[in-house]
Amino acid sequence: DADNARTVSLRVGDKLVVHLEESPTTGFTWVQSNTAGQLLLRASDYPPASVAAVGSSGLRILTFIAEQPGGALLHLKLWREWKGNSSAIEVFTVTVRITAR
């Protein structure tokens, strides 16, 4: 969360791992809301929390791979999918610069 609106530099093949707080039992989940071009989403995981109370939060772990050189804007939103874009309550963006190996 502290890296929101930052710029990061990667090389082709590098991973970008994003950890964001999420409370899926409330219906709100993080999703990629744009096609980031040179970044490919490889995994979206939500490891079980040690305390699994309704409404408790945990961490969504999103792993992206830098596929090709260039620039990309990664845009994520925290929303309730069935309610559409108007339900987004938070956004996370990162500008990514990817160079060749």
Side-chain angles (χ1 to χ4, degrees), residues 33-77:
S33 61
N34 71 331
T35 304
Q38 290 80 359
L39 283 176
L40 176 67
L41 177 62
R42 278 292 166 104
S44 176
D45 298 310
Y46 187 82
S50 57
V51 177
V54 173
S56 64
S57 64
L59 284 178
R60 170 69 55 188
I61 302 170
L62 300 153
T63 304
F64 298 88
I65 301 295
E67 288 285 301
Q68 55 185 302
L73 177 65
L74 176 61
H75 190 271
L76 305 169
K77 64 184 172 187

Side-chain angles (χ1 to χ4, degrees), residues 15-32:
K15 290 181 185 179
L16 173 64
V17 181
V18 179
H19 297 230
L20 295 168
E21 275 196 41
E22 180 180 280
S23 299
T25 59
T26 64
F28 286 96
T29 56
W30 284 100
V31 296
Q32 185 176 356

